[in-house]
Amino acid sequence: LARRLLTVLHDRGAAGTVLAVGTWLQRYPDAGRMVVGLGHELGNHTWSHPNLSALDEAGVRVEIERCRDVIAAATGGPGAFFRPSQAQHATPLVRRAAAAAGYPTVLSYDVDSRDFTDPGSASIRRNVSSVRAGGVVSLHLGHPGTLDALPAVLDDLGGRGLRPVTASVLFS
């Protein structure tokens, strides 16, 4: 599913930043190289996708560093960015731990597709329609509705003169 979604983006001249969960990268050892090989960017989204606000500082650090290490083993680097799991914005503790782990920039998003709730492609498309130039959309690789919605989402964006790019391109 992830390969198909990333290939649709690639084939349509779009790119994204995949904020990967470490357990996914461990389960699929070629996933990190696949992401990068299709022209996308890889970042850190914690080891096991916990609610970071429920963890102490040591637990947060382990979640970030363990994912960083599996990304580095797969691709030779730690990934470009970190984004906390189960939160739109990072707490000060999470920002400190991310910086200490080599991520001076912690990402957030301003448009939530809510695709992780499996609402159907029409709902995903509608949720993404509010994005503006410079906006960051949260989408997920593991949901069939995301793949189903993606061509129409890309058409909608293209019709408005927008094209998905990696976070590094967006923020450069």
Side-chain angles (χ1 to χ4, degrees), residues 1 23 32 55 71 73 83-84 91-92 131:
L1 188 58
T23 55
L55 301 179
I71 290 170
R83 187 175 90 70
T91 65
V131 72

Side-chain angles (χ1 to χ4, degrees), residues 100-123:
Y103 301 100
T105 303
V106 176
L107 292 182
S108 184
Y109 56 89
D110 55 343
V111 176
D112 190 350
S113 71
R114 310 253 336 130
D115 62 341
F116 64 93
T117 67
D118 298 317
S121 61
S123 183

Side-chain angles (χ1 to χ4, degrees), residues 6-19:
L6 294 171
T7 298
V8 168
L9 286 171
H10 174 268
D11 291 351
R12 299 278 302 263
T17 299
V18 175
L19 298 159

Side-chain angles (χ1 to χ4, degrees), residues 66-135:
R66 196 166 175 198
C67 185
R68 176 201 61 199
D69 294 347
V70 78
I71 290 170
T75 66
F81 297 98
F82 172 75
R83 187 175 90 70
S85 52
Q86 298 192 39
Q88 183 175 1
H89 303 289
T91 65
L93 183 153
V94 169
R95 286 193 304 272
R96 282 192 309 275
Y103 301 100
T105 303
V106 176
L107 292 182
S108 184
Y109 56 89
D110 55 343
V111 176
D112 190 350
S113 71
R114 310 253 336 130
D115 62 341
F116 64 93
T117 67
D118 298 317
S121 61
S123 183
I124 294 167
R125 183 179 180 189
R126 190 172 39 257
N127 292 343
V128 174
S129 69
S130 66
V131 72
R132 302 289 174 249

Side-chain angles (χ1 to χ4, degrees), residues 52-76:
L52 292 179
S53 65
L55 301 179
D56 63 13
E57 186 170 354
V60 170
R61 197 170 45 251
V62 166
E63 282 288 327
I64 296 169
E65 292 173 0
R66 196 166 175 198
C67 185
R68 176 201 61 199
D69 294 347
V70 78
I71 290 170
T75 66

